[in-house]
Amino acid sequence: MLQRWGRLFGLACIAVTVVSAIALTGLHRTAQSSAMNKGIEPPDVSAKSVFVLNADTGEVLYEKNPDEVFRILSLTKLVTAYLLVDRMGDRLSETIKINWPHLAGGSSAKLKRLDVWTLQDLLYGMVLVSGNDASLAIADAVGHDLLASEGQRGDTAKATARFVEEMGAAAKTLGAHNATFADPYGLSPQNAATARDMGLIAAQIFVDPRLLPAWACTERTLHIEGRQPRTVTLKTSLEILGEGSVIGAKTGSHVSKNIYNLVTAWRAPSGQTIVGVVLGSKSHPARYDEMRAIIDAAPRDFPELGAVETATKRASTDTCH
């Protein structure tokens, strides 16, 4: 009997030891995860909020007020681009006829009524010159596709509303739980998010091979059909695009309200994709200078980014075609 109780006691001790070890291992892993996802202070910047993420590993590199909500303005178009390729990425040769509801104010890709644009060209019109009109046409096309899949029909207004609803759902799927949208291009004050939200969105978008050629382009010539057939050359307004290892960028600006935002993606010397977000910089030049400072500092602050073994691994996806 004593031997039996001894064996039971021994087994109980082993079980407690195993459970304790598992618990300690879990706590250790949790601590490691928390440490990995807490960034350090970025270089001295005027931006009110900063978030920099290794898109390949999920490691947060830099952060400054990353969870404060800001108007994101034309950064909205990152989600519009994502939804286009996510929903219709194998159908970008399809066309849409441009009409009055697509001709929005603000930055423009110069769409004209009764033009016929492919979805691919609308993507470039939105990415290169931040065309609000191109964004609306994309929202109309994708929104109608969503409605049709749900057995519904509607006009441009209904299709656009359905698209905007889908933007919110897509953002949450990408981990951007504070992001809200009221239009597909960013003019509404209700288009808002945190730097962390935009970093998580960018970490998906700037590694998507279907979108990388568009982000990497600095210039593209389009052949537009319709009532006024013509050739249009679009040149990017993004000053940082084409510099060094930068593979994509998007600004969001409201000059009269002194709001200057920037999202940028670049290749570290290691070949890994890094995405950076600065929200609320003091000026148009400042946001670019601050992003350049972050790009330069990252390999010094994170030596593992300085390895060069995989630096050319994804170079072929970065060309404009």
Side-chain angles (χ1 to χ4, degrees):
M1 179 65 73
L2 287 174
Q3 288 180 333
R4 180 183 177 189
W5 279 110
R7 285 196 298 272
L8 289 174
F9 180 77
L11 289 171
C13 289
I14 292 170
V16 169
T17 301
V18 170
V19 169
S20 298
I22 292 171
L24 286 171
T25 301
L27 286 171
H28 179 62
R29 287 176 178 167
T30 301
Q32 282 186 320
S33 177
S34 299
M36 186 179 79
N37 286 291
K38 176 70 174 175
I40 66 174
E41 282 287 322
D44 188 27
V45 296
S46 71
K48 296 176 181 176
S49 183
V50 175
F51 188 76
V52 181
L53 179 71
N54 185 325
D56 289 338
T57 67
E59 180 184 4
V60 180
L61 306 181
Y62 300 106
E63 59 180 41
K64 173 186 175 182
N65 301 326
D67 299 310
E68 186 176 345
V69 176
F70 289 84
R71 285 187 65 175
I72 56 173
L73 303 157
S74 282
L75 300 187
T76 296
K77 290 162 183 161
L78 294 172
V79 181
T80 300
Y82 171 79
L83 268 184
L84 172 62
V85 300
D86 188 59
R87 181 76 191 181
M88 303 180 73
D90 59 345
R91 296 155 55 193
L92 296 183
S93 61
E94 292 185 12
T95 60
I96 181 172
K97 182 177 285 188
I98 306 305
N99 221 316
W100 295 120
H102 304 131
L103 304 183
S107 55
S108 171
K110 307 303 182 185
L111 276 61
K112 298 181 185 296
R113 184 172 177 268
L114 302 183
D115 276 355
V116 175
W117 284 62
T118 67
L119 295 178
Q120 179 80 65
D121 287 347
L122 287 171
L123 174 62
Y124 281 94
M126 180 178 69
V127 170
L128 266 71
V129 295
S130 199
N132 293 340
D133 45 5
S135 304
L136 269 174
I138 288 170
D140 188 5
V142 178
H144 269 104
D145 193 68
L146 287 164
L147 289 173
S149 71
E150 296 159 357
Q152 300 184 55
R153 301 177 65 181
D155 58 9
T156 294
K158 184 174 180 180
T160 302
R162 179 65 186 87
F163 180 86
V164 171
E165 179 186 350
E166 195 70 12
M167 291 174 74
K172 286 179 173 53
T173 298
L174 297 176
H177 296 290
N178 299 293
T180 59
F181 305 96
D183 64 52
Y185 43 78
L187 288 183
S188 171
Q190 295 177 52
N191 287 38
T194 67
R196 189 187 304 275
D197 290 331
M198 294 313 304
L200 292 171
I201 290 169
Q204 295 292 324
I205 289 171
F206 287 117
V207 299
D208 191 326
R210 299 169 300 177
L211 280 168
L212 271 175
W215 297 123
C217 257
T218 57
E219 181 177 320
R220 184 174 172 89
T221 298
L222 313 177
H223 303 286
I224 309 304
E225 302 297 331
R227 188 173 67 175
Q228 299 181 49
R230 63 195 185 279
T231 298
V232 175
T233 299
L234 301 178
K235 296 182 179 182
T236 186
S237 56
L238 296 164
E239 297 174 15
I240 201 168
L241 193 61
E243 292 183 8
S245 58
V246 172
I247 60 170
K250 187 73 195 76
T251 55
S253 312
H254 197 314
V255 176
S256 65
K257 294 187 179 296
N258 201 37
I259 303 174
Y260 298 97
N261 304 327
L262 175 64
V263 174
T264 303
W266 66 94
R267 297 271 193 250
S270 64
Q272 294 174 317
T273 300
I274 312 299
V275 294
V277 183
V278 294
L279 303 181
S281 291
K282 67 179 181 180
S283 68
H284 169 75
R287 61 180 162 190
Y288 285 114
D289 290 341
E290 290 163 1
M291 191 63 74
R292 292 180 184 110
I294 290 169
I295 292 171
D296 290 343
R300 296 195 302 269
D301 292 338
F302 302 91
E304 67 274 15
L305 298 180
V308 296
E309 287 81 2
T310 59
T312 60
K313 183 170 63 174
R314 285 180 295 205
S316 62
T317 66
D318 299 345
T319 56
C320 177
H321 59 68

